[in-house]
Amino acid sequence: MKILITGGAGFIGSNFIRYWLNKYPNDQIINLDVLTYAGNLENLRDLESNKNYQFIKGDIGDAELVNEVVQKGMDLIVHFAAESHVDRSIMDSSDFIKTNVLGTMVLLDAAKNNGKIRFHHISTDEVFGALTPKDKPFNESTPYAPRSPYSASKAASDHLVRAYFHTHKLPITISNCSNNYGPYQFPEKIIPLFITNLLERKKVPVYGRGKNVRDWIYVDDHNAGIDAVIKKGKIGETYCLGGGQEITNLELTGRIIKLMGQDRTMIEYVADRPGHDLRYAMDYTKAKKELGWEPAMSFDRGLKQTIDWYKAHEAWWRKIKSGEYLEYYKKNYLKR
Ligand code: NAD
Ligand code: DAU
């Protein structure tokens, strides 16, 4: 099978490519990624010599390039590419609309116009809005209620993907997943930011009072869920994937601090995120029943493994945090 992965140089995309080529070594993967500040070819160094892996630098919004790539005979498109950080979307939403909405449209058109290629769209639990502590977790029937520019752009892309199924009979599936963690996550997201700060003996900035709740899933459990949807999911359907590991940010911070042998004086309470969603949680019953998928990694083991990975890959994150990469990608990004 020939697969186009978009955004494969990012956190989940790079883990997914490695997961897929391990499990299906005879499949061929093309990774189309424009290398924004979050895209990093070092995430995939070990695969560069694999004859079934090819990288193409390019923007999913570039229709000519996307058509050219898709015409290389793709059987499947797995669409990860996105602007993914909520805080950045609050500072400036323009790239979120360009990539997450318009970029998705360009890909959908290319899939539609080149033989209706099977399309799997990667989305988020944030499209459903925010839960109160008493609410039941989100499921596939929860109405959309996005509340940040990021989640609004992802919601728009989900609607477009479904519209291409209904209008153009494009064979699509969507997975909406909760918060991922694991190796190669860019250190702007809470878990890698806090681990690397503590390794640098810096304080960790908890937004507000740290009462917000997230449902954490280890990245390879997410990858296994995407695999299950691609192989066994029903065309036109959406599947909710989650880790079943709800925890407040403060509890999470306490666990990271403890695992790293430090103390709570390292916590710094800072201004809250504007419009900060209180709680996300996913009910993955449909994926479990229909696909036989459920997350396998316990949070304790996954968190310890992730801390160990950041300890062992200091050069990787130090290069990013030193600004070398940020500056490099900023320049390239602006040149697009
Ligand atoms: P990331 O920010 O680490 O990576 C995004 C990748 O997309 C980068 O490699 C970047 O260079 C690339 N990209 C961005 N704009 C592009 C463009 N215009 N053309 C081509 N490539 C482009 O993101 P991530 O955390 O790996 O998330 C991947 C996907 O999963 C996103 O769609 C995100 O919405 C979704 N998701 C993420 C999580 C999570 O917890 N991280 C949870 C659920 C869903
Ligand atoms: O829920 C899925 C989503 O999870 C994905 O769709 C997004 O792409 C991904 O970035 C993530 O969004 P969050 O906003 O939940 O992730 P983040 O790591 O930015 O924040 C997690 C929680 O931690 C959130 O409640 C805000 C808080 N936080 C975050 C940072 C970066 C802090 O308290 N301090 C911080 O410095």
Side-chain angles (χ1 to χ4, degrees), residues 7 9-13 32-40 58-61 79-84 99 122-124 150 154 177-180 185 189 222 336:
F11 163 48
I12 306 174
L32 176 67
D33 193 305
V34 78
L35 300 181
T36 66
Y37 76 94
N40 186 349
D59 192 326
I60 58 163
H79 176 33
F80 291 90
E83 287 295 336
S84 69
T99 290
I122 307 298
S123 193
T124 169
Y150 163 69
K154 292 296 291 187
C177 189
S178 64
N179 283 65
N180 286 223
Q185 187 166 28
K189 309 284 164 61
H222 184 188
R336 288 198 284 151

Side-chain angles (χ1 to χ4, degrees), residues 83-87 123-126 150 154 177-180 185 188-191 193-194 204-208 210 212-216 249 252 270 273 276-278 280:
E83 287 295 336
S84 69
H85 194 42
V86 174
D87 292 331
S123 193
T124 169
D125 55 2
E126 300 199 14
Y150 163 69
K154 292 296 291 187
C177 189
S178 64
N179 283 65
N180 286 223
Q185 187 166 28
E188 64 184 352
K189 309 284 164 61
I190 189 169
I191 290 184
L193 177 71
F194 284 15
V204 295
V206 170
Y207 296 167
N212 305 68
V213 174
R214 297 293 183 264
D215 170 1
W216 292 98
N249 293 336
L252 167 68
V270 299
R273 173 184 280 174
H276 199 169
D277 288 339
L278 181 63
Y280 307 137

Side-chain angles (χ1 to χ4, degrees), residues 72-289:
K72 289 177 188 286
M74 296 301 146
D75 302 299
L76 165 69
I77 298 172
V78 188
H79 176 33
F80 291 90
E83 287 295 336
S84 69
H85 194 42
V86 174
D87 292 331
R88 286 178 190 257
S89 81
I90 294 167
M91 289 187 284
D92 180 359
S93 33
S94 56
D95 282 339
F96 288 73
I97 304 306
K98 266 186 232 149
T99 290
N100 302 2
V101 186
L102 296 175
T104 300
M105 179 201 76
V106 168
L107 280 172
L108 287 166
D109 278 336
K112 165 175 84 74
N113 296 335
N114 289 286
K116 296 195 180 165
I117 300 167
R118 173 84 170 82
F119 192 98
H120 181 69
H121 179 58
I122 307 298
S123 193
T124 169
D125 55 2
E126 300 199 14
V127 298
F128 299 120
L131 297 166
T132 68
K134 284 188 185 152
D135 288 335
K136 288 202 173 128
F138 302 127
N139 65 30
E140 292 77 4
S141 313
T142 307
Y144 273 40
R147 291 153 40 102
S148 73
Y150 163 69
S151 53
S153 69
K154 292 296 291 187
S157 67
D158 291 12
H159 289 315
L160 262 180
V161 173
R162 276 188 209 104
Y164 273 64
F165 166 68
H166 290 292
T167 311
H168 300 297
K169 307 281 172 275
L170 188 70
I172 66 97
T173 41
I174 299 179
S175 50
N176 293 80
C177 189
S178 64
N179 283 65
N180 286 223
Y181 70 103
Y184 299 107
Q185 187 166 28
F186 196 85
E188 64 184 352
K189 309 284 164 61
I190 189 169
I191 290 184
L193 177 71
F194 284 15
I195 294 172
T196 56
N197 272 16
L198 292 169
L199 289 171
E200 294 179 292
R201 301 272 178 260
K202 284 187 188 153
K203 292 203 172 202
V204 295
V206 170
Y207 296 167
R209 301 309 297 168
K211 296 217 182 318
N212 305 68
V213 174
R214 297 293 183 264
D215 170 1
W216 292 98
I217 182 169
Y218 192 70
V219 64
D220 265 350
D221 277 336
H222 184 188
N223 291 332
I226 297 167
D227 180 0
V229 177
I230 288 169
K231 297 279 177 175
K232 301 185 216 160
K234 204 171 148 213
I235 296 303
E237 295 275 311
T238 290
Y239 295 86
C240 285
L241 307 175
Q245 313 261 3
E246 283 190 60
I247 187 168
T248 66
N249 293 336
L250 196 57
E251 283 170 320
L252 167 68
T253 306
R255 282 211 208 183
I256 296 174
I257 286 175
K258 195 166 169 207
L259 281 167
M260 296 186 65
Q262 302 201 26
D263 64 55
R264 293 175 86 88
T265 57
M266 297 307 280
I267 296 176
E268 185 178 12
Y269 292 96
V270 299
D272 208 353
R273 173 184 280 174
H276 199 169
D277 288 339
L278 181 63
R279 175 179 165 234
Y280 307 137
M282 280 301 225
D283 173 354
Y284 55 83
T285 307
K286 177 178 172 182
K288 191 173 172 183
K289 269 197 190 149

